[in-house]
């Protein structure tokens, strides 16, 4: 996996202006990849999420997730969403350049907003479920998720853009509430943001 330069700064007391790099690592293969989100997990490690565009053989790989410890040493690496994925998960999460977001849930699973998909994985990176929301839903043609959070009742709230159903296909700001299994409870578009 070639997508990652992780920089974890050591923060000095407030009266000191500089930061010192504790460690920086690149996790590599000859593929084309991008890390777009990172969280500090409750077990003291880091979860990094991004896209794995193509491997050395030119195969599209989709969503990539790695977990590293506090020293940057690799714990596990998983790819999801293509017939060429080493996990053979049966998903098709095409590579799309853009933002991803990830949240750790109360039961130590991870939920990832990846373009028009939401993916839930276990603490060990095993796929629990994945849902794609790229087709028509009500007045909307499709979605692009940018942010995700877990609510106190374990529902999920996501924000991003909805492509409205008018002829021009305008992008509206969008907020949706999903249950913990990824089913849509409600979705609202806000064209006044555009």
């Amino acid at each position: 996996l070639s997508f990652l330069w992780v920089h974890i700064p050591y923060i000095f007391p407030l009266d000191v202006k500089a930061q010192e790099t504790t460690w920086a690592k690149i996790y590599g293969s000859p593929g084309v990849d991008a890390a777009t989100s990172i969280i500090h997990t409750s077990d003291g490690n880091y979860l990094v999420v991004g896209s794995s565009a193509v491997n050395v053989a030119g195969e599209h790989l989709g969503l990539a997730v790695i977990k590293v410890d506090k020293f940057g040493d690799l714990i596990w690496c998983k790819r999801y969403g293509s017939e060429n994925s080493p996990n053979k998960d049966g998903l098709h999460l095409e590579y799309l350049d853009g933002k991803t977001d990830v949240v750790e849930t109360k039961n130590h699973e991870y939920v990832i907003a990846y373009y028009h998909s939401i993916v839930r994985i276990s603490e060990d990176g095993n796929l629990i479920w994945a849902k794609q929301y790229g087709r028509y839903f009500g007045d909307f043609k499709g979605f692009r998720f940018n942010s995700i959070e877990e609510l106190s009742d374990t529902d999920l709230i996501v924000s991003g853009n909805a492509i409205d159903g008018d002829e021009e296909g305008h992008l509206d700001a969008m907020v949706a509430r999903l249950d913990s299994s990824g089913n849509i409870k409600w979705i609202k578009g806000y064209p006044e943001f555009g």
Side-chain angles (χ1 to χ4, degrees):
L1 195 61
S2 65
F3 71 28
L4 181 60
W5 169 274
V6 176
H7 174 257
I8 305 298
Y10 174 79
I11 306 299
F12 288 94
L14 293 175
D15 59 341
V16 178
K17 304 278 189 231
Q19 292 183 352
E20 178 181 301
T21 299
T22 303
W23 56 264
K25 294 198 178 189
I26 297 174
Y27 303 89
S29 77
V32 178
D33 307 289
T36 54
S37 189
I38 186 170
I39 60 169
H40 189 213
T41 59
S42 62
D43 59 5
N45 298 307
Y46 295 93
L47 192 78
V48 182
V49 177
S51 296
S52 182
V54 259
N55 65 13
V56 71
E59 300 168 321
H60 294 272
L61 298 175
L63 174 65
V65 182
I66 68 170
K67 192 168 190 180
V68 298
D69 67 17
K70 65 182 180 179
F71 303 107
D73 296 325
L74 187 65
I75 297 171
W76 53 258
C77 170
K78 304 264 181 146
R79 292 185 181 100
Y80 311 89
S82 91
E83 65 278 1
N84 302 314
S85 171
N87 299 346
K88 301 295 183 208
D89 50 37
L91 298 174
H92 180 68
L93 302 176
E94 61 188 283
Y95 169 80
L96 294 159
D97 190 17
K99 184 177 182 329
T100 56
D101 195 24
V102 61
V103 64
E104 183 175 6
T105 65
K106 291 169 188 57
N107 62 350
H108 309 291
E109 296 171 346
Y110 306 107
V111 184
I112 302 158
Y114 179 74
Y115 196 69
H116 59 268
S117 301
I118 305 293
V119 178
R120 188 176 197 118
I121 60 174
S122 70
E123 190 173 17
D124 297 326
N126 297 316
L127 182 67
I128 297 171
W129 56 258
K131 299 220 174 176
Q132 295 177 311
Y133 306 88
R135 300 287 180 245
Y136 288 94
F137 184 85
D139 294 332
F140 304 109
K141 286 186 186 177
F143 307 103
R144 181 172 57 217
F145 301 120
N146 295 323
S147 182
I148 189 165
E149 290 294 328
E150 183 184 41
L151 302 174
S152 60
D153 63 359
T154 72
D155 279 1
L156 302 165
I157 193 93
V158 294
S159 67
N161 300 103
I163 304 166
D164 65 26
D166 66 14
E167 290 180 20
E168 289 85 31
H170 291 108
L171 288 177
D172 294 341
M174 176 274 301
V175 176
R177 186 172 183 147
L178 314 175
D179 67 20
S180 61
S181 297
N183 301 306
I184 296 175
K185 287 188 160 183
W186 56 257
I187 186 163
K188 307 256 188 220
Y190 302 94
E192 56 272 12
F193 268 82

